Amino acid sequence: MVYKPRFIDQLFPATCLLCGAGARGGLDACAGCIADLPLNGSACLRCAMPVQAGVLCGHCLGEPPLVASAFCAFRYAWPVRELLLRFKTGGDLAAGRLLSELMARQLDASQAVPGGDWALVPVPLAPRRIGERGFNQAERIARVLGGRLGLAVEPGLVRRVRSSQDQKGLSAAERRRNLDSAFSAKPCAGRKLVLVDDVLTTGATTRALARALLEAGAVELRLWCLARAV
């Protein structure tokens, strides 16, 4: 994926969302701030927890996730954490687009984009959360990734059928119980799907969503997230 400068970028040069300096290459971030971002380079193949490259962490060896692989572009640390909060709670769509564009470039460079008939499935929000926030951050991320990487985005394939308590402050076991039967998937026999979300924490949301899709007929699932909480 090669970025092609647009005429509008020449007329109105971008500025860095983090420091205000001039930015180039079609991104709202300068080279210095991009270099400071906490990349999640060496990570578990199944849950993206930082470990020695190319191996599974102890948790995944004992209880393998339902997804075949996981890719998280960054660790959930400064300044990615601040950009994500601006995106999710402040409605700063430019911050979300910046992180999504950087993630797309990482996926492309690492050759982690699957070939064939794969589609992106953003994690759905409850209608109440959509009403409060005005958008689904996972769908915004998926739209950028799909456009940059040439993958279809299918937000209607799965929906949230039960509202749940806010996951913040809950243990891993409590998160799983909180999301029990929270998702319903349309028939998707033989489909290969990439789940897309903003932050991967305990994996409870991923497991609940993956279970619904596998029961609906999906044959292989992967997970892509902007950041990994550690």
Side-chain angles (χ1 to χ4, degrees):
M1 178 179 65
V2 179
Y3 172 75
K4 296 181 179 179
R6 301 173 300 173
F7 181 65
I8 191 69
D9 297 328
Q10 299 174 18
L11 286 178
F12 304 99
T15 56
C16 180
L17 294 177
L18 289 166
C19 72
R24 295 182 179 180
L27 295 171
D28 293 326
C30 67
C33 285
I34 290 175
D36 286 339
L37 295 176
L39 299 179
N40 192 42
S42 179
C44 173
L45 300 174
R46 299 291 293 274
C47 74
M49 181 64 77
V51 292
Q52 180 182 344
V55 301
L56 298 182
C57 69
H59 180 78
C60 288
L61 285 172
E63 186 179 1
L66 297 179
V67 294
S69 65
F71 175 90
C72 292
F74 307 100
R75 286 179 285 110
Y76 189 62
W78 185 91
V80 170
R81 178 179 57 241
E82 283 63 33
L83 286 171
L84 269 171
L85 290 175
R86 283 165 56 177
F87 174 38
K88 291 175 61 175
T89 64
D92 188 344
L93 301 184
R97 173 167 284 276
L98 169 62
L99 292 172
S100 302
E101 293 273 6
L102 289 168
M103 179 177 176
R105 295 184 183 205
Q106 286 188 49
L107 283 162
D108 189 56
S110 64
Q111 298 182 337
V113 182
D117 239 354
W118 287 75
L120 305 182
V121 179
V123 173
L125 282 182
R128 175 178 59 85
R129 288 293 177 84
I130 290 285
E132 293 172 352
R133 189 166 294 163
F135 63 94
N136 178 357
Q137 71 274 6
E139 184 173 347
R140 292 274 180 169
I141 297 165
R143 294 290 182 193
V144 174
L145 297 179
R148 289 298 186 189
L149 302 174
L151 295 171
V153 181
E154 298 191 26
L157 194 59
V158 64
R159 63 190 180 94
R160 196 147 191 160
V161 295
R162 184 178 64 80
S163 296
S164 55
Q165 178 185 349
D166 193 327
Q167 296 278 74
K168 291 181 180 178
L170 299 182
S171 68
E174 289 171 335
R175 285 174 180 243
R176 288 193 182 187
R177 289 194 297 270
N178 190 40
L179 290 165
D180 185 41
S181 302
F183 301 105
S184 175
K186 293 181 179 179
C188 51
R191 299 293 305 275
K192 296 181 178 181
L193 306 167
V194 180
L195 312 183
V196 179
D197 207 357
D198 56 342
V199 181
L200 175 57
T201 306
T202 65
T205 300
T206 300
R207 178 172 289 273
L209 184 56
R211 182 180 294 112
L213 288 166
L214 290 170
E215 290 175 352
V219 295
E220 186 176 351
L221 302 174
R222 298 186 185 185
L223 173 67
W224 290 352
C225 292
L226 284 180
R228 183 53 159 108
V230 297

